Structure formats: C-alpha cells, structure tokens
Amino acid sequence: MNRIYIVEDEPLIEQTIETALKKYHYQIVGDADNIEDAYSEISEIRPSLILLDITLEGKGDGIDLAKKLDTELKIPYIFITSLSDPMTIQRIKECNPVGYIVKPFTEENLLANVTLGLFKKNTEQPKIEPEKTIDDFFVKHQGKMIKIPAIEVSHFEAYDNYCFLYTNENKYLITHTLKSVEEKLPQSLFLRVHRSHIISIKHIDYLDESNVYVNGNKISVGKSHREELLKMINLL
C-alpha cells in the first residue's frame, strides 16, 4: 500500500488532504507541523511519499527539510505551498521534488500530483553499486590503529555525533556519526535496525516482536526496519 506522510502547519488543510487521499485508499502514516518532528518521524516510518508545505512552524522551512530528504533519506516529496515569489522559486530549483501543488488546490490536482509522484518513484531505476567486501576494520584507540576483524563486530551504537563499535570483548569509540559509518559497511553483513543501532547479522541470538538480541544485548527494532531484518535471516 502507498504510504503518505503530510508536513503541514495548517490543521484544516492537513485534514482536507488526509480526507481526500483516504477516499482513494491511500494510507496516511503520520503528520507534523515542523521540520524537526517531521524529519524524526519520517526517518523512522520511511513513507512512500511526503506532501510538504514550505511555510512551517518553528525553525527552518519545508525547503530546508526537502534538502535533507534529497541528500539523506532519498524519499520522494511534493511541495504544497501558496508561495510563488522569485526567491522561493529559486530555492525550489535547488531541490528535487516529484511534484508541485499551489494553494488553493482542488482534489483532482492533489490526486494527480500524488499519482504521478508515486509513479516516478516506482519506475525510477535504482543505482546499483558493487557490494563492499571488508575483512577488517581499523579504529583509533589510545594512540594506536587497532585492527578488528569485521566478523568480530557485533553492533554499532550512536553516541551524540559519534558512535561505539562493539565486539564480544570490547567497545571502541568511533569519531564519526552512525550514518557515515553505515555507508562504509557491507550490506550483506550489517543492517541498521533503529536510528541508533546497526547490528551484525552473524551475531543475532534471537528476536521478539520489537527487539533483536545481539550477543546478549537487547536492541529495539524500528517498525520500518523489521521487514528488512526478516529478509536477511534464514527463517525455516
């Protein structure tokens, strides 16, 4: 099912959008009126498409959020706005929306943009990159470069702007964000299961409805990551 997230600071408009899309059997998976809450929830939920107002509550606006969607989450979005001034249009040119809706809009215009936006998403050919093959990691520890076999790494945990690497015996502080570490890991061995955790598939002990246990450590599994986790294990 196509899952839609709405970022809109006018409750009446948000409700109008939700009601219209539900008539056509789209699933509304969340909404927010500011970019901080929206980014946090979108990162966890991973919707199919985002309807994004430009003028929002709090710090930043929809275009600021759009740039993060383009560079970090790769989730398609459609702008919904009453703004059409030259400065706004110039900023929009720096983004990559799959649609643009001007307020006030009709139900037909909304539906057409959503349909085309999802079509673009579903027909876009993903860029296939060769799988990373990593045998060892090197980490800075007490003035030395310590070699750690990749197979010994059980999981990574976010820690502010850094993260921890865990093995059976030790943990090491990595002076990079969890996201930057994730980009260097082989996808066949490691999987992000939560915004704060990446695990090694080889070190899973067992799973329950909302957690995975890795070398005795209980780690929450985000709803958007559970399906991918189940695909990577051999379930008999």
Side-chain angles (χ1 to χ4, degrees), residues 134-137 148-154 189-190 200 202-203:
I134 299 176
D135 296 321
D136 303 303
F137 297 111
I148 303 172
I151 196 65
E152 292 184 7
V153 178
S154 62
L189 183 58
F190 294 93
S200 168
K202 301 294 185 183
H203 288 266

Side-chain angles (χ1 to χ4, degrees), residues 49-50 52 66 69-70 75-80 91-101 113 117 120:
L49 181 70
I50 301 162
L52 178 56
L69 295 174
D70 284 336
I75 299 174
Y77 56 89
I78 296 171
F79 282 125
I80 300 183
R91 291 181 66 207
I92 289 173
K93 289 180 181 179
E94 300 171 3
C95 304
N96 188 34
V98 295
Y100 185 87
I101 301 173
N113 271 271
K120 290 178 182 179

Side-chain angles (χ1 to χ4, degrees), residues 12-177:
L12 182 59
I13 294 179
E14 188 281 324
Q15 190 59 50
T16 298
I17 294 170
E18 183 171 339
T19 300
L21 293 179
K22 282 183 176 179
K23 284 170 56 179
Y24 295 94
H25 308 293
Y26 289 104
Q27 181 183 6
I28 308 302
V29 294
D31 65 87
D33 62 7
N34 63 85
I35 68 172
E36 291 85 4
D37 290 344
Y39 184 80
S40 176
E41 290 192 356
I42 289 166
S43 299
E44 183 71 20
I45 296 171
R46 298 280 173 162
S48 308
L49 181 70
I50 301 162
L51 298 178
L52 178 56
D53 190 10
I54 292 179
T55 304
L56 298 169
E57 296 286 343
K59 184 179 180 181
D61 62 14
I63 296 177
D64 295 318
L65 177 56
K67 291 178 179 178
K68 297 183 74 173
L69 295 174
D70 284 336
T71 59
E72 298 177 17
L73 299 184
K74 311 297 183 184
I75 299 174
Y77 56 89
I78 296 171
F79 282 125
I80 300 183
T81 182
S82 57
L83 300 176
S84 57
D85 59 279
M87 183 176 294
T88 299
I89 297 300
Q90 183 58 43
R91 291 181 66 207
I92 289 173
K93 289 180 181 179
E94 300 171 3
C95 304
N96 188 34
V98 295
Y100 185 87
I101 301 173
V102 178
K103 300 176 183 177
F105 55 85
T106 64
E107 184 174 299
E108 290 76 13
N109 186 20
L110 173 66
L111 182 63
N113 271 271
V114 168
T115 302
L116 290 173
L118 288 168
F119 176 78
K120 290 178 182 179
K121 170 186 179 292
N122 293 331
T123 56
E124 184 180 55
Q125 295 296 321
K127 185 184 290 184
I128 300 175
E129 298 181 356
E131 167 72 324
K132 300 180 179 72
T133 56
I134 299 176
D135 296 321
D136 303 303
F137 297 111
F138 285 84
V139 299
K140 294 180 180 179
H141 182 67
Q142 298 180 349
K144 300 176 182 178
M145 299 288 286
I146 306 295
K147 183 173 77 170
I148 303 172
I151 196 65
E152 292 184 7
V153 178
S154 62
H155 63 289
F156 296 84
E157 179 183 19
Y159 177 71
D160 197 15
N161 289 324
Y162 305 119
C163 67
F164 286 111
L165 178 157
Y166 290 83
T167 66
N168 289 339
E169 305 295 334
N170 300 297
K171 77 173 181 178
Y172 302 89
L173 180 65
I174 309 297
T175 57
H176 299 287
T177 64

